[in-house]
């Protein structure tokens, strides 16, 4: 997305790709999920090529299913092209300790050799980018050209989701590190809390 490829890859993986991977895992349909806390920060070097500048989500808390309003901006000083490695570390708070969630069926703390391939699986090449990206003329496939990008305040509808049984209630920390040719291009940390009901 034009809110930097780091934002695109991270947001797609957090909100969409997990739903795509869920078919391989034991899941349960939940009546409602609430995202009760959400925080983010860049975790790369100060001169990292890809950074997220702003990310605003509302309402607080966010209900799933429900409407979500989001705005974001970021930049990349280099073109981000395939192969674009993505290393994800997911931790869950258990009895006051942070426990790393292993990679299970491509969900959890996983290494993805090419985030561009993940985007192509979610939105097949040749298909229009989903709204509101299409309206604003924002790309959703690699390569992402160097530049400063922004997604204006936009509304999304988040449908019902089936979640793995271990990903229903609790506090989570997610770190995504984007890299190419052995070099780190950007890093983003997200902290969130989920509260769900059957």
């Amino acid at each position: 997305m034009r809110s930097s490829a780091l934002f695109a890859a991270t947001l797609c993986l957090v909100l969409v790709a997990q739903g795509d991977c869920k078919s391989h895992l034991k899941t349960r349909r939940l009546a409602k999920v609430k995202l009760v806390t959400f925080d983010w920060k860049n975790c790369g070097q100060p001169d990292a090529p890809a950074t997220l500048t702003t990310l605003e989500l509302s309402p607080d808390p966010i209900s799933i299913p429900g409407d979500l309003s989001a705005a974001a901006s970021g930049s990349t000083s280099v073109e981000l092209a395939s192969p674009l490695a993505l290393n994800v570390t997911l931790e869950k708070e258990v009895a006051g300790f942070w426990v790393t969630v292993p990679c299970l069926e491509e969900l959890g703390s996983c290494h993805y050799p090419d985030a561009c391939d993940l985007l192509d699986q979610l939105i097949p090449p040749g298909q229009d980018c989903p709204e509101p990206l299409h309206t604003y003329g924002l790309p959703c496939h690699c390569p992402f050209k160097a530049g400063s990008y922004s997604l204006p305040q936009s509304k999304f509808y988040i449908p019902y989701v089936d979640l793995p049984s271990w990903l229903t209630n609790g506090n989570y920390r997610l770190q995504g590190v984007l890299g190419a040719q052995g070099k780190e291009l950007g890093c983003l940390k997200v902290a969130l809390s989920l509260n769900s009901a059957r």
Side-chain angles (χ1 to χ4, degrees), residues 5-146:
L6 178 61
F7 170 67
T10 303
L11 192 62
C12 283
L13 287 171
V14 170
L15 296 180
V16 184
Q18 290 187 357
D20 186 57
C21 295
K22 68 169 174 54
S23 60
H24 304 290
L25 300 169
K26 181 180 179 183
T27 61
R28 63 178 178 169
R29 171 62 56 105
L30 304 171
K32 185 166 277 198
V33 178
K34 284 192 184 281
L35 180 60
V36 292
T37 61
F38 178 86
D39 192 26
W40 67 273
K41 68 177 180 177
N42 289 297
C43 49
Q45 297 297 319
D47 60 349
T51 59
L52 185 64
T53 308
T54 62
L55 175 59
E56 300 172 5
L57 301 177
S58 62
D60 184 13
I62 296 168
S63 293
I64 305 171
D67 292 319
L68 167 70
S69 182
S73 63
S75 65
T76 176
S77 61
V78 298
E79 182 178 79
L80 302 175
S82 180
L84 204 55
L86 178 62
N87 287 309
V88 176
T89 303
L90 178 64
E91 297 175 300
K92 181 175 183 177
E93 188 176 20
V94 179
F97 297 94
W98 288 99
V99 177
T100 301
V101 177
C103 187
L104 304 169
E105 300 288 341
E106 297 184 13
L107 181 63
S109 299
C110 300
H111 169 73
Y112 302 96
D114 193 357
C116 297
D117 284 345
L118 293 177
L119 291 175
D120 288 346
Q121 290 173 28
L122 296 170
I123 307 162
Q127 181 178 315
D128 286 342
C129 293
E131 294 298 343
L133 303 182
H134 182 70
T135 295
Y136 293 117
L138 304 179
C140 55
H141 295 285
C142 297
F144 296 90
K145 294 180 181 178

